[in-house]
Amino acid sequence: MIAARGLDIEWSHKPKKWKWLSHSDSRFAEVAKLKKVYWLEIQGKIDSRRLSKRTKYVACLVFKLENEFYGLETVNAVVRFVDSMSKKDAEKRASVVHFAGRGPRETLPFERADGWMELKMGDFFNDVGEDGYVDARLMETKKLDDKKGLIKYNAFLSFRGVDIRRTFVSHLYNALIQGRINVFKDNERLETGKSIFDELPKAIEESKFAIVIFSESYASSKWCLDELAHIIKCRKEFDLIVIPIFYNVDPSDVRHQAQTFAESFSKHEEKYKDAMEKIQRWRDAFAESGKYRGTICKITDDVLRDAKSPILIDGGKMSFSLDKKTGKKCFMVAARGLEIEWGGTPEYWEWLSHVDSRFAEVAKLKRVCWLDIRGKIETQRLSKRTKYVVYLVFKLENKWHGLETANAVVRFVDSVSDIDAEQRASVVHFAGQGPKETLPFRRGDGWMELKMGDFFNDAGEDGDVDARLMETKHLGEKSGLIYDAFLSFRGEDTRRTFVSHLYNALIQGRIDVFKDDERLETGKSISDELPKAIEESKFAIVIFSESYASSKWCLDELAHIIKCRKELKQIVIPIFYNVDPSDVRHQTQTFAESFSQHEEKYKDDMEKIQRWRDAFAESGKISGYHLQNYRDEADCIKKVVERLMSVLHIESDDDDDDVRAFIRGMDNNSPILIDGGKMSFSLDKKRKKCFMIAARGLEIEWSHKPKYWKWLSHSDSRFVEVAKLKKVYWLEIQGKIDSRRLSKRTKYVAYLVFQIGKSIPWPRNC
């Protein structure tokens, strides 16, 4: 498949006619978006020697059409061997094909499994690959009328870049892209303009959502205020959905232009005193936006109808999807949306994230005698005239007990009392034996599903439905456990920003993480739980922020981490968050002040202070991640997660466990790139580990000299680059691999993988 960048597209270098952008559904870095042309001509070439011999090939154009396209109903297409047929003859032989509309079946496009459309341009037979280049061409050059097919945006992102571009916005943008949401995000270079460009109003008008991130400096930007005024205009005229995010600001301050916003508007009024009408338009937009508090959780029916996979609603306390067969609405209430008796008591229940959950948190039962879980939903939200079944979705740990049986009941709150419901409750089993309908079954996502009951939703006028699961008669203890990396940080300055994003990225990367909670900070000494968690972790990620050393808690953690590094060979990954590694190494700047306070407070225990200082000094020497060396926080986090994933997938003391973990993450056991693309990994039929080192991972003598070696991409290579030998007298190539990465008790064979060109002058004595 040739990427758009590899095609010859007439006028594609003209921004007015074509736009180059990334697309979430594309395998390539960029796609070409047709804005407006009169002369449409797209051409792709491939060398027939690269193709399979004695094979019939079909050339297709892969594309998408936007709702508002025109002039693309019919075009001409032809496929030819360049050396055998002239361009003129090809144009005469071109056949008519249709992007849309009616026509013979073979001239119409069809939808691929990945959501793109595929249009057949023609076919050819490749004999022995000696016919030169094959040229596939699509054109509409006779009817010189407008042709247009815009790619609209799902969301437009409006924010003030100075204070949040590298932090919150980068994470939000990446999350939207990962969620396959096409987003318009203006770049810093646009800020140099003195007035809003034509591109921005157009992008806003072509978006379904506008996400406005109100930060403290938002109103200081004329650019942002112009954007906001146009967003509010589009909300009124085009029903644009506006989602405000109040980032460290109060909605009432937005509504009334108070606090920092008052200062910003005052400056604008002084600067633009001859354009008070514009100032008032900005104020009106601000006042209107401040009224939208809570709209972030409201999603229209139109959006819900498009939900093919579950989406989070109600502030993440519920998920919504449509049944694939019936189109009926399906809801799942998150643990945080349930009423769990004693759920707020850490002694009995623990709230934590789980890699297999679609929600931010799950509830983990530690120990209770009285089990009572209840969830409610309004019948108005459900599909009418539909029978619903209520399930509890759960997992049982290896060391669970007291959960063999429980009672479950589903009722309409207005029709059946709590007492009557308890009497009608049926027995269900978390585990063990019993009638089939009372036992749980395993879902495709690995969770267990236990039927609690069912009900029929008629016209949605029966009020709330209440589903309840309880075991309150046998007051024996009930309990139900889950680590791989330990996360050490100072909560007050990084917990709600960088740490939360890093933690979520690790969880999404299926890396099991221990993260200490704020409630532990109240302890006067490190608890038994923390040393154990550190010792049981393969990695310790230490986030050094300005206030890290102010916490005795963190210093105790760090000392134990360094001890485990020496004794247990634990891998320590320091992240220097707005601090310099040399300041950590020498305990200078804010760290000097913190240690000075500790020395005063613990003057009778200077041995402990020295242990903390030694741990700090040692940590500062370890190669880590310095935030200022990365584009933004998201980029830094990405590198950290990639490193952990590559090592966790390969290195393990238990070879069998390692292989199983890797197979779960592999698609059809095909090779995947690791070590920053310098190596590939796969498993053979006997589940033995196989590695291939890329040319960039080898030591090739003279490879840095363009005269002798050339680095280039190759369509047949799994790696980004291959090394092409131009001319050398001294040939030396060397590759290394750590034997600890390989399967144990296994014979390995090392190969050099290469291709030889046709025109190589072989010496006679070779």
Side-chain angles (χ1 to χ4, degrees):
M1 183 181 280
I2 303 173
R5 278 288 187 196
L7 300 172
D8 291 330
I9 303 176
E10 198 69 32
W11 308 108
S12 63
H13 61 291
K14 297 282 188 182
K16 283 187 180 180
K17 302 184 184 300
W18 289 86
K19 183 175 182 181
W20 293 92
L21 70 163
S22 61
H23 195 289
S24 58
D25 294 335
S26 175
R27 68 185 68 174
F28 299 109
E30 288 181 301
V31 298
K33 184 181 87 175
L34 172 59
K35 296 175 78 175
K36 186 174 72 169
V37 295
Y38 298 97
W39 183 289
L40 178 67
E41 190 170 357
I42 302 169
Q43 190 172 346
K45 286 183 183 178
I46 192 167
D47 190 337
S48 60
R49 289 176 295 183
R50 305 182 80 169
L51 306 175
S52 298
K53 296 176 182 178
R54 291 174 288 282
T55 303
K56 181 181 178 181
Y57 278 89
V58 180
C60 300
L61 181 76
V62 180
F63 69 97
K64 284 191 178 188
L65 281 181
E66 286 304 313
N67 295 330
E68 295 179 9
F69 76 90
Y70 55 78
L72 293 172
E73 288 76 11
T74 62
V75 291
N76 295 310
V78 67
V79 178
R80 66 173 177 132
F81 286 106
V82 175
D83 297 339
S84 308
M85 188 186 300
S86 69
K87 192 174 179 181
K88 202 169 187 180
D89 289 340
E91 287 181 13
K92 290 177 183 176
R93 288 185 48 195
S95 56
V96 174
V97 292
H98 304 264
F99 278 106
R102 296 181 178 180
R105 188 176 178 182
E106 65 274 11
T107 69
L108 296 173
F110 68 91
E111 187 172 1
R112 292 153 44 109
D114 59 5
W116 290 84
M117 303 300 292
E118 195 166 87
L119 179 65
K120 180 180 175 180
M121 298 171 65
D123 53 47
F124 63 95
F125 183 79
N126 187 45
D127 192 8
V128 291
E130 295 180 355
D131 295 309
Y133 279 90
V134 178
D135 174 58
R137 189 170 167 225
L138 185 134
M139 57 213 158
E140 208 301 277
T141 59
K142 293 179 181 177
K143 300 175 185 176
L144 297 180
D145 49 2
D146 258 5
K147 299 161 188 76
K148 179 182 177 183
L150 289 173
I151 295 179
K152 287 188 176 181
Y153 301 102
N154 297 117
F156 179 94
L157 211 53
S158 175
F159 61 95
R160 173 63 170 148
V162 174
D163 49 355
I164 56 172
R165 182 181 295 278
R166 295 185 73 240
T167 54
F168 181 79
V169 172
S170 69
H171 299 300
L172 174 61
Y173 180 73
N174 286 342
L176 291 168
I177 293 298
Q178 286 169 13
R180 308 185 85 78
I181 297 169
N182 194 14
V183 189
F184 182 96
K185 177 167 76 83
D186 64 319
N187 207 346
E188 288 91 334
R189 58 187 172 81
L190 297 179
E191 283 281 359
T192 58
K194 293 183 179 178
S195 64
I196 190 166
F197 285 166
D198 293 337
E199 188 180 0
L200 283 173
K202 197 175 178 187
I204 294 169
E205 290 159 17
E206 292 170 353
S207 300
K208 185 176 284 188
F209 295 89
I211 304 171
V212 185
I213 306 170
F214 289 102
S215 59
E216 290 182 350
S217 68
Y218 187 92
S220 66
S221 167
K222 171 188 176 293
W223 185 264
C224 288
L225 294 170
D226 277 339
E227 272 183 9
L228 184 63
H230 198 70
I231 286 169
I232 298 302
K233 180 185 176 187
C234 290
R235 181 181 184 270
K236 294 174 181 176
E237 295 179 5
F238 306 125
D239 293 325
L240 176 73
I241 301 171
V242 179
I243 300 177
I245 297 176
F246 303 101
Y247 187 85
N248 291 336
V249 299
D250 195 274
S252 66
D253 292 337
V254 174
R255 195 157 55 246
H256 303 295
Q257 299 101 70
Q259 299 295 336
T260 56
F261 303 130
E263 185 181 340
S264 296
F265 272 100
S266 177
K267 289 178 181 177
H268 289 314
E269 285 172 349
E270 187 178 336
K271 188 175 181 181
Y272 303 107
K273 51 191 171 188
D274 297 330
M276 293 306 289
E277 188 179 332
K278 177 188 280 189
I279 301 292
Q280 191 55 49
R281 192 163 64 246
W282 292 345
R283 282 194 179 275
D284 292 343
F286 242 71
E288 183 74 14
S289 303
K291 296 175 186 176
Y292 301 154
R293 189 173 188 179
T295 54
I296 192 168
C297 297
K298 293 179 183 176
I299 302 177
T300 64
D301 287 340
D302 289 335
V303 178
L304 293 181
R305 277 195 288 272
D306 293 334
K308 294 178 182 177
S309 58
I311 59 172
L312 298 186
I313 58 175
D314 291 3
K317 290 186 177 178
M318 190 178 286
S319 76
F320 169 88
S321 62
L322 295 175
D323 185 271
K324 292 178 181 177
K325 293 181 180 178
T326 64
K328 300 291 186 179
K329 299 177 184 177
C330 304
F331 294 86
M332 183 182 283
V333 183
R336 277 293 185 194
L338 300 173
E339 295 176 28
I340 303 176
E341 198 70 27
W342 308 107
T345 307
E347 198 177 322
Y348 303 126
W349 289 86
E350 183 179 356
W351 292 92
L352 69 164
S353 61
H354 195 289
V355 291
D356 296 332
S357 174
R358 68 187 65 172
F359 300 109
E361 288 181 300
V362 298
K364 185 180 89 174
L365 173 59
K366 295 173 77 175
R367 177 173 59 93
V368 295
C369 299
W370 183 287
L371 179 66
D372 197 349
I373 303 171
R374 182 181 294 202
K376 288 183 183 177
I377 192 167
E378 297 167 4
T379 55
Q380 291 174 318
R381 306 184 79 166
L382 307 175
S383 296
K384 296 177 182 177
R385 291 172 292 282
T386 302
K387 181 181 178 181
Y388 276 90
V389 181
V390 181
Y391 295 95
L392 180 74
V393 179
F394 69 97
K395 284 192 178 188
L396 280 182
E397 288 301 315
N398 294 329
K399 297 178 181 178
W400 62 270
H401 62 81
L403 292 171
E404 289 77 6
T405 62
N407 295 310
V409 67
V410 177
R411 66 175 179 127
F412 288 109
V413 175
D414 296 340
S415 307
V416 181
S417 69
D418 240 342
I419 295 173
D420 289 340
E422 287 182 21
Q423 291 173 350
R424 286 177 46 195
S426 56
V427 175
V428 292
H429 304 263
F430 280 102
Q433 295 180 340
K436 188 176 180 180
E437 64 274 10
T438 69
L439 295 173
F441 67 91
R442 185 179 295 277
R443 293 154 40 112
D445 58 6
W447 291 86
M448 302 299 291
E449 205 166 68
L450 180 64
K451 182 179 176 180
M452 297 173 65
D454 54 49
F455 65 95
F456 184 78
N457 186 44
D458 192 8
E461 296 176 355
D462 294 309
D464 287 349
V465 175
D466 175 61
R468 188 177 174 204
L469 185 134
M470 53 207 159
E471 209 300 90
T472 58
K473 294 180 180 177
H474 305 290
L475 298 181
E477 188 173 280
K478 305 159 188 75
S479 70
L481 244 171
I482 297 174
Y483 323 131
D484 218 313
F486 182 91
L487 202 58
S488 173
F489 61 94
R490 172 64 174 156
E492 291 170 6
D493 55 352
T494 61
R495 186 181 297 273
R496 295 188 67 233
T497 54
F498 183 82
V499 170
S500 65
H501 299 304
L502 173 61
Y503 182 71
N504 288 336
L506 290 167
I507 293 300
Q508 287 169 14
R510 310 187 76 80
I511 297 167
D512 196 9
V513 189
F514 181 96
K515 179 165 74 80
D516 65 319
D517 201 60
E518 285 88 340
R519 61 189 170 79
L520 298 177
E521 285 279 357
T522 57
K524 293 184 179 178
S525 63
I526 190 165
S527 70
D528 293 336
E529 187 181 0
L530 283 173
K532 189 180 177 186
I534 294 169
E535 290 158 16
E536 291 174 353
S537 300
K538 184 171 287 188
F539 296 89
I541 304 170
V542 185
I543 305 169
F544 288 103
S545 58
E546 289 182 349
S547 68
Y548 188 94
S550 66
S551 166
K552 170 188 175 293
W553 186 263
C554 286
L555 294 170
D556 277 339
E557 276 182 4
L558 183 63
H560 199 70
I561 286 169
I562 296 302
K563 180 184 176 187
C564 290
R565 181 175 185 261
K566 294 174 181 176
E567 296 177 2
L568 306 176
K569 305 299 181 187
Q570 185 179 70
I571 300 170
V572 178
I573 300 177
I575 297 175
F576 303 101
Y577 186 87
N578 293 335
V579 298
D580 196 273
S582 66
D583 292 334
V584 173
R585 197 157 52 246
H586 304 295
Q587 300 103 69
T588 51
Q589 300 294 336
T590 56
F591 303 131
E593 185 182 340
S594 297
F595 272 99
S596 176
Q597 291 173 359
H598 290 313
E599 285 172 348
E600 187 177 337
K601 187 174 181 179
Y602 303 107
K603 52 191 173 187
D604 297 330
D605 195 359
M606 293 306 288
E607 188 180 331
K608 176 188 281 188
I609 300 293
Q610 190 56 49
R611 192 163 62 247
W612 291 346
R613 282 194 179 276
D614 292 343
F616 242 71
E618 182 74 17
S619 302
K621 296 174 187 175
I622 300 171
S623 176
Y625 296 84
H626 193 185
L627 194 63
Q628 73 173 30
N629 294 334
Y630 296 89
R631 188 172 66 251
D632 51 38
E633 288 185 7
D635 186 36
C636 178
I637 287 170
K638 182 183 175 187
K639 300 297 183 194
V640 174
V641 175
E642 283 176 354
R643 178 180 172 189
L644 264 72
M645 287 181 72
S646 69
V647 177
L648 281 174
H649 283 157
I650 295 164
E651 296 182 1
S652 174
D653 293 332
D654 187 337
D655 193 67
D656 291 333
D657 286 348
D658 186 20
V659 171
R660 282 199 296 272
F662 209 98
I663 289 174
R664 285 200 297 272
M666 296 178 65
D667 180 17
N668 297 325
N669 200 22
S670 57
I672 64 167
L673 298 186
I674 58 174
D675 290 4
K678 290 186 178 179
M679 191 179 285
S680 75
F681 171 88
S682 62
L683 298 170
D684 70 7
K685 293 177 182 178
K686 295 181 179 179
R687 292 191 173 184
K688 297 294 185 181
K689 301 176 188 177
C690 304
F691 295 89
M692 183 182 282
I693 304 172
R696 279 291 186 195
L698 300 172
E699 293 177 26
I700 304 175
E701 197 70 32
W702 307 107
S703 63
H704 61 291
K705 297 280 188 181
K707 277 187 184 180
Y708 303 127
W709 290 86
K710 184 177 181 181
W711 293 92
L712 69 163
S713 62
H714 195 290
S715 59
D716 296 334
S717 174
R718 69 186 64 172
F719 299 109
V720 176
E721 287 181 301
V722 297
K724 184 175 120 183
L725 173 60
K726 295 173 78 175
K727 183 180 68 170
V728 295
Y729 297 98
W730 183 289
L731 179 65
E732 190 172 354
I733 302 170
Q734 189 173 345
K736 290 181 183 177
I737 191 166
D738 189 337
S739 62
R740 289 175 296 183
R741 303 183 84 168
L742 306 176
S743 296
K744 297 172 184 176
R745 293 173 292 282
T746 302
K747 181 181 179 181
Y748 275 89
V749 182
Y751 295 95
L752 180 74
V753 180
F754 66 96
Q755 283 188 359
I756 288 184
K758 289 185 176 179
S759 57
I760 293 189
W762 289 96
R764 289 186 180 178
N765 61 349
C766 240

